[in-house]
Amino acid sequence: MEIITRKTLLYRSGLGFYCINHVQGCRHGCRYPCYAYLMARSHGRIKTYADWCLPRLVTNATELLPKELFRLKTKPDYIHLCLTTDPFMVGYPEVTDMSLKIIRLINSHGIRCSILTKGKIPVELANREWFPADNLLGISLISLNEEFRKLWEPETASYADRISALKSLHSRGCKTYVHMEPYPTPNIVKQDLKNILKAVEFVDRIYFSGWNYNNQVKQFRDYREFYNDQTSLVSHFCSEHGISFE
Ligand code: SF4
């Protein structure tokens, strides 16, 4: 795996929370398109999609982080991994190792992590001796259709693998969530949202949002009405199952 070094690691994102991205690029190569890819290209950090799909590990991440955590004036509620890459990238054990080290370091400062992946979340995260904070462990999930996944999220973990890894952590007492975004319209894939919700009814929290940055969505004539209906379906499902909804 290619490597780079950085001068800083921890930052407050435009969304208001602290975040760490210890890899540049992402092998998962999502084609929605990936917003992080568009940003990296517009800022000149990468040139092409192929370049984006060749991840580069920030090798000095675990050297930078303790100093940056120590310098924090106020302890944040949580630190997020990751906004512009995937902490459990399929096929890159180096990334997983680094992510676990980073989460452990953050937890050792009494700060919890929120984690989001399209890979398999490692079961080690259930070990409360190593990871003592109440981390929030999440997967992205917008379909159960593997043909759809191979087209739009080509190098990610299968949906079944993502869900079973998350379920295993839930059964060991971890807090879990599902991030359903960007949810596709029926002209992109025909599917029943109820089946997806049923597959993850064990989680503590669900975030749902539409596909806002692809014109194919607008080609579905009633896309606004569709998203209103799907949002209220998720909201009802969550209240019936005691799941918090965003
Ligand atoms: S997993 Fe996330 S960061 Fe990686 S390509 Fe897909 S959307 Fe982008």
Side-chain angles (χ1 to χ4, degrees), residues 15-35:
L15 299 168
F17 51 80
Y18 278 92
C19 189
I20 285 176
N21 300 298
H22 49 293
V23 182
Q24 180 176 298
C26 181
R27 180 73 185 115
H28 289 168
C30 302
R31 296 174 182 273
Y32 314 129
C34 166
Y35 186 71

Side-chain angles (χ1 to χ4, degrees), residues 25-37 52 82-86 89 117-118 140 152-153 156 213:
C26 181
R27 180 73 185 115
H28 289 168
C30 302
R31 296 174 182 273
Y32 314 129
C34 166
Y35 186 71
Y37 157 63
W52 172 255
C82 302
L83 266 188
T84 69
T85 188
D86 195 300
M89 203 178 291
T117 184
K118 291 185 180 73
S140 291
W152 292 97
E153 307 172 340
T156 55
Y213 42 88

Side-chain angles (χ1 to χ4, degrees), residues 202-219:
F202 58 89
V203 298
D204 299 286
R205 187 197 289 181
I206 294 179
Y207 173 88
F208 180 85
S209 184
W211 194 325
N212 298 317
Y213 42 88
N214 188 315
N215 279 333
Q216 279 193 53
V217 165
K218 293 188 182 141
Q219 285 160 20

Side-chain angles (χ1 to χ4, degrees), residues 19-20 25 31 35 48 51 53 61-62 78 81 128 136 185 190 211 218:
C19 189
I20 285 176
R31 296 174 182 273
Y35 186 71
T48 61
D51 195 14
C53 292
T62 49
Y78 67 91
L81 283 80
R128 297 300 294 246
L136 189 57
T185 41
K190 286 202 183 353
W211 194 325
K218 293 188 182 141

Side-chain angles (χ1 to χ4, degrees), residues 163-175:
I163 296 168
S164 70
L166 193 69
K167 199 168 191 174
S168 162
L169 285 154
H170 162 79
S171 68
R172 289 168 165 81
C174 298
K175 282 204 164 53

Side-chain angles (χ1 to χ4, degrees), residues 41-232:
R41 202 182 56 178
S42 77
H43 288 108
R45 282 195 293 276
I46 52 116
K47 291 194 176 68
T48 61
Y49 176 74
D51 195 14
W52 172 255
C53 292
L54 192 72
R56 295 163 176 95
L57 185 70
V58 178
T59 47
N60 62 336
T62 49
E63 286 158 41
L64 292 171
L65 188 57
K67 296 175 213 155
E68 294 183 333
L69 288 169
F70 186 71
R71 279 202 295 267
L72 282 174
K73 289 196 178 85
T74 318
K75 206 187 268 192
D77 182 26
Y78 67 91
I79 296 176
H80 183 69
L81 283 80
C82 302
L83 266 188
T84 69
T85 188
D86 195 300
F88 299 116
M89 203 178 291
V90 175
Y92 287 88
E94 309 91 317
V95 174
T96 293
D97 283 353
M98 179 74 86
S99 299
L100 291 175
K101 280 182 190 147
I102 286 172
I103 297 164
R104 201 168 171 188
L105 256 172
I106 294 171
N107 284 178
S108 73
H109 283 252
I111 304 170
R112 65 193 178 120
C113 293
S114 85
I115 290 143
L116 184 60
T117 184
K118 291 185 180 73
K120 287 169 67 177
I121 304 193
V123 73
E124 289 95 311
L125 283 167
N127 183 332
R128 297 300 294 246
E129 270 179 43
W130 291 356
F131 305 99
D134 276 332
N135 298 314
L136 189 57
L137 312 177
I139 56 166
S140 291
L141 189 79
I142 51 174
S143 183
L144 297 175
N145 181 325
E146 282 294 304
E147 294 309 312
F148 170 86
R149 182 184 69 76
K150 285 173 196 158
L151 204 58
W152 292 97
E153 307 172 340
E155 303 297 331
T156 55
S158 73
Y159 294 132
D161 279 354
R162 280 184 226 178
I163 296 168
S164 70
L166 193 69
K167 199 168 191 174
S168 162
L169 285 154
H170 162 79
S171 68
R172 289 168 165 81
C174 298
K175 282 204 164 53
T176 56
Y177 75 104
V178 169
H179 189 93
M180 288 188 177
E181 190 216 5
Y183 192 77
T185 41
N187 59 326
I188 298 173
V189 61
K190 286 202 183 353
Q191 58 183 9
D192 188 340
L193 177 55
K194 289 195 233 53
N195 294 336
I196 306 173
L197 291 169
K198 186 98 187 102
V200 293
E201 64 185 2
F202 58 89
V203 298
D204 299 286
R205 187 197 289 181
I206 294 179
Y207 173 88
F208 180 85
S209 184
W211 194 325
N212 298 317
Y213 42 88
N214 188 315
N215 279 333
Q216 279 193 53
V217 165
K218 293 188 182 141
Q219 285 160 20
F220 185 67
R221 206 172 46 137
D222 301 322
Y223 75 95
R224 284 202 181 88
E225 195 182 3
F226 171 77
Y227 280 133
N228 286 340
D229 290 349
Q230 303 299 285
T231 304
S232 72

